[in-house]
Amino acid sequence: PRSLLQVEINTIASSFAGLSTKISELFSSNSYNRDANIKIPENNALQNISKGISLAHNLFLSTTLSTSAIILMVVQGCERNFADQRLLQFEIQEQHNLKVIRATLAEIHLKSILEPGTNHLLYDGQLVSVVYFRAGYTPNDYTHPESSSDPSYLLTHSPEWAARLLVERASAVKCPNVAYQLAGTKKVQQALAAPGMLERFLPDDSDTASELRSVFAGLYSLDAAAGTDKSNSEQENELRALIERVVSHPEQFVMKPQREGGGNNFYGEEMVAQLRSLEKTQLAAFILMERIQPPPQLAECLRDGVAVQRSCLCELGIFGVFVAHNSSGVHWNEYGGYLLRVKPAESDEGGVAAGYAVLSCPALV
């Protein structure tokens, strides 16, 4: 039977709130959609995410007794997805009358200090209320000097790592902070799927835990040394059996590292080669996931001004907005909107900015 299955959770630089909102508006317009039987769901992702950032800004002002501050959007130096980011920036500025400044991690390193006594972040002399990350999720966003195995060496020789530490120590609201970014990694997703793990966070609500678990695809650790009650030999035997299963049916699995941004996963024979060649300590950096097999459908995709009709797969993304304070609790926890990625059925990857997919929206019939 068909059912919704979760691909992943993104807790940093979740993009396309702006463009997906505009795509939904386009498909909803009478000039585009003339079939009265087709309904396009309302999509307020752009408005809701800007509202969440504005709420975090106001919460910062009220708790620090500040009167004004800026929002700092952390971006990559050669950003290709600037149009989506600008839509959010303009929405915040026009609808909430807040100043948004874009800066790279290197620029933050050069222009920022922590105010003594308060740990307020000052960027170019201006108080920062919210640091919103649209970068910092890939190793390419950080310089890695030689002899960089020592974290203290990195912090003194890499401006990007030094900037990240500075922001983390600051009083500004982080979207996300380091802990929340790590919570969105593939390894945490795999750990949450383990038996009994959801119940640790929902001890009095087994029905909700079961409902959440029902959307998990199969997730497996490749770390033979993972902490369990089983002996080392039992864990190694289970890992060996899992790898043999994957080698026999590679089309049923995908091998994922702790990376974001698209283009990092291993499929098919390439995955098999990695499983056979990597050392145990190297394998532990990956997880295995059962490959989701959605039904293909015919779609017309527009890229670089050329429309091509082809067999495609869809991936639905749901935005959530969560604003909380460690003293006053949760201030906002709501559904934020959606995006729909459409990619060729033969494509393994599904990133839009990476060039594998296009944006669309669901049609309710």
Side-chain angles (χ1 to χ4, degrees):
R2 293 180 180 179
S3 61
L4 291 175
L5 291 175
Q6 176 182 283
V7 177
E8 62 182 7
I9 297 174
N10 296 119
T11 55
I12 183 171
S14 298
S15 59
F16 297 120
L19 291 177
S20 64
T21 299
K22 296 301 181 182
I23 289 288
S24 299
E25 291 174 357
L26 169 66
F27 285 177
S28 298
S29 66
N30 292 331
S31 59
Y32 189 93
N33 178 22
R34 298 180 180 179
D35 188 341
N37 296 318
I38 295 178
K39 303 297 181 184
I40 305 300
E42 185 179 17
N43 187 10
N44 294 318
L46 178 61
Q47 295 82 0
N48 286 332
I49 291 178
S50 66
K51 178 182 175 182
I53 292 174
S54 172
L55 180 59
H57 166 88
N58 293 330
L59 188 59
F60 173 86
L61 293 185
S62 64
T63 55
T64 61
L65 304 179
S66 303
T67 56
S68 65
I70 65 167
I71 293 164
L72 198 58
M73 182 184 292
V74 186
V75 298
Q76 295 173 331
C78 299
E79 181 59 67
R80 294 184 300 163
N81 194 23
F82 62 88
D84 180 67
Q85 296 172 1
R86 290 291 189 185
L87 285 170
L88 182 57
Q89 176 186 350
F90 298 156
E91 180 75 13
I92 294 170
Q93 291 176 169
E94 294 169 5
Q95 299 301 320
H96 302 281
N97 197 29
L98 301 177
K99 184 177 181 180
V100 180
I101 292 181
R102 295 162 57 88
T104 65
L105 285 169
E107 289 171 330
I108 292 172
H109 174 68
L110 287 174
K111 299 182 180 181
S112 298
I113 62 169
L114 291 186
E115 185 179 68
T118 64
N119 270 10
H120 289 342
L121 181 65
L122 303 179
Y123 179 80
D124 208 14
Q126 302 173 88
L127 177 63
V128 177
S129 60
V130 178
V131 181
Y132 171 61
F133 284 92
R134 293 296 291 261
Y137 56 86
T138 168
N140 297 332
D141 290 337
Y142 303 86
T143 53
H144 293 79
E146 294 181 8
S147 306
S148 62
S149 58
D150 181 2
S152 61
Y153 184 90
L154 272 179
L155 294 174
T156 54
H157 291 77
S158 169
E160 293 83 7
W161 281 115
R164 192 68 194 270
L165 177 62
L166 185 77
V167 169
E168 195 66 17
R169 292 172 55 202
S171 62
V173 180
K174 272 78 71 175
C175 181
N177 61 21
V178 167
Y180 202 67
Q181 180 178 348
L182 292 175
T185 60
K186 309 296 189 296
K187 188 62 182 177
V188 170
Q189 183 183 356
Q190 174 258 309
L192 286 172
M197 189 59 67
L198 287 177
E199 284 73 10
R200 291 179 56 186
F201 302 95
L202 297 164
D204 302 318
D205 197 348
S206 59
D207 290 342
T208 299
S210 297
E211 190 175 6
L212 287 172
R213 190 174 290 109
S214 70
V215 303
F216 292 169
L219 293 155
Y220 308 96
S221 171
L222 287 171
D223 185 0
T228 69
D229 296 330
K230 298 177 182 177
S231 66
N232 289 340
S233 60
E234 286 179 307
Q235 292 181 62
E236 290 183 1
N237 288 338
E238 288 186 358
L239 178 58
R240 191 178 300 111
L242 174 62
I243 292 176
E244 289 175 358
R245 179 183 166 197
V246 175
V247 169
S248 299
H249 302 283
E251 75 283 354
Q252 297 179 5
F253 295 89
V254 54
M255 184 175 172
K256 296 185 173 184
Q258 311 308 308
R259 295 281 300 276
E260 298 295 342
N264 303 301
N265 299 335
F266 293 105
Y267 301 85
E269 293 306 315
E270 190 178 12
M271 173 180 60
V272 171
Q274 293 291 324
L275 290 171
R276 286 173 169 166
S277 63
L278 293 180
E279 300 291 335
K280 290 180 181 179
T281 53
Q282 295 173 307
L283 278 177
F286 296 82
I287 68 162
L288 279 172
M289 179 176 174
E290 286 185 0
R291 195 163 181 180
I292 299 171
Q293 306 287 351
Q297 52 188 305
L298 201 61
E300 196 158 348
C301 300
L302 179 67
R303 180 177 284 280
D304 296 328
V306 179
V308 179
Q309 194 175 66
R310 62 200 311 171
S311 179
C312 291
L313 305 177
C314 297
E315 180 181 306
L316 180 66
I318 301 298
F319 291 105
V321 184
F322 181 83
V323 181
H325 188 272
N326 58 358
S327 298
S328 53
V330 177
H331 289 254
W332 202 33
N333 181 15
E334 295 290 341
Y335 159 75
Y338 66 82
L339 67 86
L340 189 73
R341 295 184 182 92
V342 178
K343 67 174 186 177
E346 67 274 12
S347 175
D348 289 326
E349 297 287 351
V352 175
Y356 300 103
V358 297
L359 292 174
S360 186
C361 65
L364 305 180
V365 294

